[in-house]
Amino acid sequence: MTPEAKVKKQVKKILDDLGAYHFSPLTSGYGRSGVPDIIVCYKGKFIGIECKAGKGKLTALQERNIKQIKHNQGLAIVVNEGNIEELLAVLKEIE
């Protein structure tokens, strides 16, 4: 399992434990590139989660998608091994 796949697995466990609706969009072929790795609906809030390993950087397209999500009052989060606990804290603050 790749380091990024391990981050995704941890994120999905957190989401499952909270009962959040989530899925990982397929972007090959007919999908839209730059979409966050995990799309979530939790307590009525749209959330895009981009998972990175180590110091992985966002592409310009990923940055643009995150900006669009935030512009539309959604929540966009970049998660790696070092800040995964922050994801849980952010989700628990949603009412």
Side-chain angles (χ1 to χ4, degrees), residues 61-80:
L61 195 51
Q62 289 169 333
E63 287 179 2
R64 187 171 48 201
N65 276 279
I66 286 173
K67 185 177 178 180
Q68 284 183 305
I69 290 168
K70 290 178 177 181
H71 175 75
N72 285 285
Q73 309 305 308
L75 183 60
I77 306 167
V78 179
V79 177
N80 62 29

Side-chain angles (χ1 to χ4, degrees), residues 1-50:
M1 184 179 295
T2 66
E4 186 172 306
K6 289 178 185 178
V7 173
K8 289 178 185 177
K9 184 177 179 180
Q10 290 176 305
V11 168
K12 289 176 182 180
K13 174 150 181 17
I14 288 170
L15 296 171
D16 287 341
D17 289 349
L18 292 173
Y21 172 81
H22 64 91
F23 68 95
S24 296
L26 296 175
T27 58
S28 60
Y30 299 101
R32 180 175 170 178
S33 296
V35 174
D37 293 315
I38 304 171
I39 303 299
V40 182
C41 183
Y42 182 63
K43 295 185 177 181
K45 186 77 170 175
F46 179 90
I47 307 164
I49 302 174
E50 182 62 41

